[in-house]
Amino acid sequence: MSERSLLKSRMFWVGVLYFAEGFPLGIFYEVLPVHFRMQGIDLSDIGFLSLLGLTWTLKFLWAPAVDHYRHHRTWMLVVDLCMAAIMFTLAVYSEFGGWMWFAIALFTLLSATNDIAIDGYTVEFLNKREFGLANGLRIGLYRVGMLTAGGLLWVQPLVGWTGVYFLAAIILIVAGVSCRLAPPEPPAAKKSAVTANNELATLLKQPSVLLPAILLLSGLIVFALGTPLRLMGASTLAKAAPAIALGMICLALLSGVYNRRRSVRIDRSELVDGPVLGAFVEMSARRYFFPVLVFILTFKLADQTIGFMIKPFWVDAGFSARQIGIVSIQIGLVLSIAGGLVGGWFTDRVGVFKGLWILGLTQIISNLGYAYIAHVFPLPGVETAQPLNQQIMMYSASAVESFTQGLGTGAFLAFLMSIVNKRNAATEYAVLSSMFVLARSVAGWAGGFGAESLGYANFFLLSFLFGLPAYLLLPWVRKMLDSVDDDPGNAAVPGYKS
């Protein structure tokens, strides 16, 4: 493929964008904890990093600003250059100090803003038929970006921490310039004259309409507060935060259904085009949104529930840390990327709806492999030699689980992009992805109790059943996909091919 042809490929730019999105996250989760520990920082202080990572959960709060001012590529360039400046600062002043917390907090805020701009741009840039393959590439290049950041640790003995941060800064500058060179986003519809004051005044006149949006936002914020509560020692409240958040979201769903049954009408001209809450209200007022929201919360429940329990199961089955690292993590990473690519390709060929339910079944069925192994083989304890047939079966179950998880994720992300209104792409996608993170956290939290009380075999079997309720909501999913607006404003950027 010639250079000119490559630059005209939408998939090429998707790869560039999601490498740029994954790299900062890799710096945060892979590089900073290692540097801190090597500086002698206490584990409790290193754990405080997770509090700073809340910006990725709460990014939907300022996503409307990106939608309102648009110019996604400029957002990407500016935040990447600012993150590079922070890396240069860490390179020059690599010794730990109180100022570093502020620098890292700013870094996470910028990275989350970069995510908003990239996700919003990508939804606008692509057409619906490309979402499958694009999300397969997204999964792969996002992981490559994270691995590249982690790879900087390999050169640390040669260049020191100063060199690591200088290299990170250079990569961020290249990423920012590359994102700015991406094709322009399609022209936006004429801006509404509605101001924040206008939309707030209209909402206050109809509090019953405002309630679902408030409950939805409050639920996500309560969920995000779980980490700081845990760090402050309020462990009981921290453990309850996911359940409280889920309860608020359920109340939002019920209030939305109540409004619809009462045929509550809203003045869409004053709300849908509002710069602050317009996207949230438009989503909650959309037909089929609430059953589809339940589908989003439950579609990946089967693999989310067992996700945090798989590694403890390996340990209790007698596998060493080295075996777990090589097979379950390294090979599993490659297979999950491959699954994402195959799942994306398949979704583009058969359509989002068919890809969603077919590939979703594969990720549910894969749980039965672990259920069977836990049922037929004993759990000898930590680092105990296992028979060869048990090793082969465990490795096979891990390979199937990783690959099918990638299959389901590729189709699921394509679905999320398909139902987003391109006019509010950044905000709506940020909200939906936050819902997905909420469901994953609640499922992982509940999974620990399930595995402990039921045992691995029964718990893994039960997790298979957790994936089935989402299929009861498929009629509404189909209706939502069929109702997606295909007017010219939702078309992909012209002049570029897949």
Side-chain angles (χ1 to χ4, degrees):
M1 181 183 289
S2 67
E3 180 181 347
R4 183 177 180 83
S5 177
L6 184 66
L7 295 176
K8 284 289 184 180
S9 168
R10 290 192 183 95
M11 296 303 112
F12 168 77
W13 289 110
V14 167
V16 170
L17 293 170
Y18 281 98
F19 175 91
E21 184 174 314
F23 182 77
L25 195 70
I27 292 293
F28 182 77
Y29 280 109
E30 304 293 339
V31 175
L32 292 176
V34 175
H35 181 202
F36 277 27
R37 191 55 178 166
M38 292 181 71
Q39 290 273 37
I41 306 304
D42 292 339
L43 293 176
S44 59
D45 289 333
I46 294 175
F48 184 72
L49 282 173
S50 62
L51 172 60
L52 301 181
L54 286 174
T55 51
W56 282 290
T57 304
L58 296 175
K59 62 186 178 182
F60 65 89
L61 292 175
W62 63 93
V66 178
D67 271 331
H68 183 67
Y69 295 105
R70 292 179 58 77
H71 304 294
H72 300 88
R73 296 173 303 141
T74 301
W75 281 96
M76 298 174 208
L77 174 63
V78 171
V79 298
D80 274 331
L81 293 180
C82 290
M83 285 190 287
I86 292 172
M87 291 295 101
F88 277 127
T89 303
L90 294 180
V92 176
Y93 304 101
S94 58
E95 293 300 318
F96 184 83
W99 65 272
M100 191 175 282
W101 292 114
F102 174 78
I104 295 171
L106 182 58
F107 182 86
T108 60
L109 178 67
L110 293 166
S111 179
T113 305
N114 193 41
D115 292 1
I116 295 168
I118 289 175
D119 291 337
Y121 171 88
T122 304
V123 172
E124 291 192 25
F125 181 52
L126 300 170
N127 62 54
K128 186 176 178 181
R129 294 184 302 275
E130 298 169 324
F131 285 157
L133 181 58
N135 278 291
L137 287 171
R138 168 193 181 174
I139 294 168
L141 271 297
Y142 188 90
R143 294 288 184 90
V144 170
M146 291 189 68
L147 289 173
T148 301
L152 294 176
L153 295 174
W154 294 354
V155 301
Q156 192 276 334
L158 300 176
V159 300
W161 289 111
T162 296
V164 166
Y165 289 122
F166 267 122
L167 288 172
I170 292 170
I171 293 173
L172 285 166
I173 291 172
V174 172
V177 172
S178 299
C179 291
R180 184 62 183 83
L181 294 175
E185 55 261 68
K190 186 177 178 181
K191 260 188 183 179
S192 169
V194 177
T195 65
N197 289 336
N198 294 147
E199 65 172 337
L200 182 59
T202 303
L203 285 169
L204 290 176
K205 293 175 185 176
Q206 304 178 78
S208 63
V209 175
L210 183 60
L211 184 60
I214 291 177
L215 287 170
L216 191 61
L217 290 171
S218 300
L220 292 172
I221 292 172
V222 168
F223 163 67
L225 290 176
T227 300
L229 287 171
R230 186 175 68 252
L231 293 172
M232 290 188 296
S235 59
T236 302
L237 287 175
K239 290 178 180 178
I244 295 172
L246 190 61
M248 286 184 170
I249 291 174
C250 290
L251 287 175
L253 297 175
L254 292 174
S255 61
V257 172
Y258 176 74
N259 282 348
R260 189 162 300 283
R261 286 187 175 276
R262 290 180 58 226
S263 299
V264 175
R265 302 300 180 195
I266 61 174
D267 184 355
R268 298 179 69 86
S269 63
E270 290 292 329
L271 296 180
V272 176
D273 295 329
V276 180
L277 293 174
F280 301 109
V281 175
E282 191 273 338
M283 288 179 71
S284 63
R286 196 183 302 171
R287 291 187 70 189
Y288 318 121
F289 175 71
F290 290 102
V292 168
L293 181 56
V294 176
F295 177 82
I296 291 170
L297 291 169
T298 58
F299 175 71
K300 290 185 70 65
L301 197 58
D303 62 272
Q304 290 172 337
T305 304
I306 71 167
F308 279 101
M309 294 299 105
I310 289 177
K311 300 302 183 298
F313 175 59
W314 278 70
V315 173
D316 291 343
F319 287 80
S320 67
R322 185 173 183 273
Q323 289 174 305
I324 297 171
I326 292 175
V327 177
S328 180
I329 298 176
Q330 295 182 18
I331 297 177
L333 177 63
V334 173
L335 288 172
S336 67
I337 292 174
L341 291 171
V342 173
W345 172 85
F346 180 80
T347 301
D348 280 345
R349 293 299 178 274
V350 304
V352 172
F353 180 75
K354 188 177 288 187
L356 195 63
W357 74 261
I358 292 176
L359 299 181
L361 279 178
T362 66
Q363 71 179 12
I364 296 172
I365 293 172
S366 68
N367 288 20
L368 296 177
Y370 278 119
Y372 176 76
I373 293 171
H375 180 71
V376 299
F377 289 112
L379 299 179
V382 178
E383 295 198 31
T384 305
Q386 315 87 22
L388 179 61
N389 64 330
Q390 183 174 350
Q391 293 185 46
I392 292 174
M393 291 186 68
M394 185 73 94
Y395 296 156
S396 299
S398 176
V400 171
E401 187 265 338
S402 296
F403 184 73
T404 56
Q405 185 183 54
L407 290 176
T409 300
F412 181 67
L413 294 177
F415 166 68
L416 293 185
M417 283 190 171
S418 297
I419 63 174
V420 164
N421 184 335
K422 290 194 175 185
R423 181 173 54 186
N424 303 314
T427 302
E428 294 193 9
Y429 196 85
V431 170
L432 296 178
S433 59
S434 293
M435 294 292 179
F436 175 64
V437 172
L438 171 63
R440 182 179 60 198
S441 298
V442 173
W445 167 70
F449 295 105
E452 188 172 31
S453 59
L454 299 175
Y456 285 118
N458 291 331
F459 171 67
F460 290 152
L461 180 60
L462 181 63
S463 72
F464 164 77
L465 300 177
F466 286 161
L468 299 179
Y471 280 77
L472 300 175
L473 299 166
L474 285 176
W476 289 275
V477 170
R478 181 188 283 277
K479 289 177 182 178
M480 174 67 86
L481 288 169
D482 291 341
S483 68
V484 172
D485 191 3
D486 287 325
D487 65 33
N490 271 347
V493 174
Y496 290 81
K497 60 185 181 180
S498 298

